[in-house]
Amino acid sequence: MNIIPISINQPNNLNFKAKCNDYMTKMVIEPNKNKITDLKKLETSAITTAATAVSALSIDEILKSKGVYFCKTDDNLINVSGGYNGGFYKIKTRAISSEPAAKDYIFRAINGSDALAGGLANYMDMVKDIKRQDIIKKGLKIHTYELDNNVPDKNKKTAAYILSKQLKYNIRPTDLFFVNGEAFCYNKYGKIAYGLNLNAMKTNTNPVIRVCKFKTDKRGNAIGFNTKDWDTYQWQVREIEYSEQTQPSTNLPRIANSENNRLFAEAFRFGNSTIQDNYRLKISTPTVLEHLSKKVGIVGADINDLQFIRYYDENNKIQSRIGFFDTATGRSLIYDRNGQYMYQMQYNRDNNGNITACCRF
């Protein structure tokens, strides 16, 4: 078989033909250099533009974009607030000498670059996920907003190792947060938090891991928990369940007594009246729903989510109110009969989550 080279058939096609003495000329090389130079210029310009944009923002605006709406120093404490549903936190530190320095420190902490501020970023993520910091504190048995900011790196690594070993998946020191001499980590997919006592960790090679599984409502907000933890009095692992009351304990009177007791509080939490009892309340509900949507940020609420309350005031006159129970805070927003916002109602509860009384917040 006689094979004819393609180069002979297509002598003018440079893609398939090259002479042995062909080489790349300077004219061919120069355009490539220009392209590289242009790319470098574009990259430098982009970096400069980004830096200018960041510098144009104040540190307060940057923190707000990260979910921190309040950051103030108080001697050697930094007080932090995540705003609505974002929780409250305190960090004790000796290194912060000014408020700007404190804000910069908090920014670096919540950026997740390191386990700074006692693992503030991890704790904030947990609170943002299940909302109710009061239930978190009750479930994890912590009694302060202050994170441990001086846990040695060795203890962080040991805690992460023990938790990884017992939970059967990898946990890094940077996944933890520290409160009251304990290390915690949170699994958002199972709504489960794990706790390890740092002192027990040093004396026991297999310390008991506290397990707290949170119960949530249809909006994903915590309404209770189930914990398994070591009970030092009974000297064994004990299981505790806590669920907030979700319905009236009895048939409520259609007009609540003015005395601030359990039935009075339940009337505000669950409603003791209907919309048919007062036509004025019915025509005011659109105003309430608009306030909830535009001012509070609760999307999707409708008339079925509202409570209607009637009670005797201190002058023995009948008053009408519209309420909305916000499961993200555990409080009710209260409106007058014209749909105008008045205040929030906070509920006192016993150890089982049952309402005992209420107070304005």
Coordinates of all heavy atoms in Angstrom, one line a residue, residues 90-91 105-106 109 114-121 147-149 178:
K90 N -20.3 36.9 75.7 CA -19.3 37.7 76.4 C -18.0 37.0 76.2 O -17.9 35.8 76.3 CB -19.6 37.8 77.9 CG -20.8 38.7 78.2 CD -21.0 38.8 79.7 CE -22.2 39.7 80.1 NZ -22.0 41.1 79.9
I91 N -16.9 37.8 76.0 CA -15.6 37.2 75.8 C -14.6 38.0 76.7 O -14.5 39.2 76.6 CB -15.1 37.2 74.4 CG1 -16.0 36.4 73.5 CG2 -13.6 36.7 74.3 CD1 -17.0 37.2 72.8
Y105 N -11.0 42.1 66.6 CA -10.8 40.7 67.2 C -12.0 39.9 66.9 O -11.9 38.7 66.6 CB -10.5 40.9 68.7 CG -10.3 39.6 69.4 CD1 -9.2 38.8 69.2 CD2 -11.3 39.1 70.2 CE1 -9.0 37.6 69.9 CE2 -11.2 37.9 70.9 CZ -10.1 37.1 70.7 OH -9.9 35.9 71.4
I106 N -13.2 40.4 67.2 CA -14.4 39.7 67.0 C -14.6 39.4 65.5 O -15.1 38.3 65.1 CB -15.6 40.5 67.5 CG1 -15.6 40.7 69.0 CG2 -17.0 39.9 67.1 CD1 -15.5 39.4 69.8
A109 N -12.5 36.5 64.8 CA -13.1 35.3 65.4 C -14.2 34.7 64.6 O -14.3 33.5 64.4 CB -13.5 35.6 66.8
D114 N -9.6 30.9 63.1 CA -9.0 30.2 64.2 C -10.1 30.1 65.3 O -11.1 30.7 65.2 CB -7.8 31.0 64.8 CG -6.9 30.1 65.6 OD1 -7.3 28.9 65.9 OD2 -5.8 30.5 66.0
A115 N -9.8 29.2 66.3 CA -10.7 29.1 67.4 C -10.6 30.2 68.4 O -10.3 30.1 69.6 CB -10.5 27.7 68.1
L116 N -10.7 31.4 67.9 CA -10.6 32.6 68.7 C -11.9 32.9 69.6 O -12.9 32.3 69.2 CB -10.3 33.9 67.9 CG -9.0 33.9 67.1 CD1 -9.0 35.1 66.1 CD2 -7.8 34.0 68.0
A117 N -11.7 33.7 70.6 CA -12.8 34.1 71.4 C -13.6 32.9 72.0 O -14.8 32.9 72.1 CB -13.8 35.0 70.7
G118 N -12.9 31.8 72.3 CA -13.5 30.7 72.9 C -14.4 29.9 71.9 O -15.3 29.1 72.3
G119 N -14.1 30.1 70.6 CA -14.9 29.4 69.6 C -16.2 30.1 69.3 O -17.2 29.5 69.0
L120 N -16.2 31.4 69.4 CA -17.4 32.2 69.2 C -18.1 31.9 67.9 O -19.4 31.8 67.9 CB -17.0 33.7 69.2 CG -18.1 34.7 68.9 CD1 -19.2 34.7 69.9 CD2 -17.6 36.1 68.8
A121 N -17.4 31.8 66.8 CA -18.0 31.5 65.5 C -18.9 30.2 65.6 O -20.0 30.2 65.0 CB -17.0 31.4 64.4
L147 N -17.9 33.0 77.1 CA -17.1 31.8 76.6 C -15.7 31.8 77.2 O -15.1 32.8 77.5 CB -16.9 31.9 75.0 CG -18.2 31.7 74.2 CD1 -18.7 33.1 73.7 CD2 -18.0 30.7 73.1
D148 N -15.1 30.6 77.4 CA -13.8 30.4 77.9 C -12.8 30.8 76.8 O -12.7 30.1 75.7 CB -13.5 29.0 78.3 CG -14.3 28.6 79.6 OD1 -14.8 29.6 80.2 OD2 -14.4 27.5 79.9
N149 N -12.0 31.8 77.0 CA -11.1 32.3 76.0 C -9.7 32.0 76.2 O -8.8 32.4 75.5 CB -11.3 33.9 75.9 CG -10.7 34.4 74.6 OD1 -10.6 33.8 73.6 ND2 -10.1 35.6 74.7
F178 N -16.1 26.8 73.9 CA -15.8 26.5 75.3 C -16.6 27.4 76.2 O -16.5 28.6 76.1 CB -14.3 26.6 75.5 CG -13.5 25.8 74.5 CD1 -13.1 26.3 73.3 CD2 -13.1 24.5 74.9 CE1 -12.3 25.5 72.4 CE2 -12.4 23.7 74.0 CZ -12.0 24.2 72.8

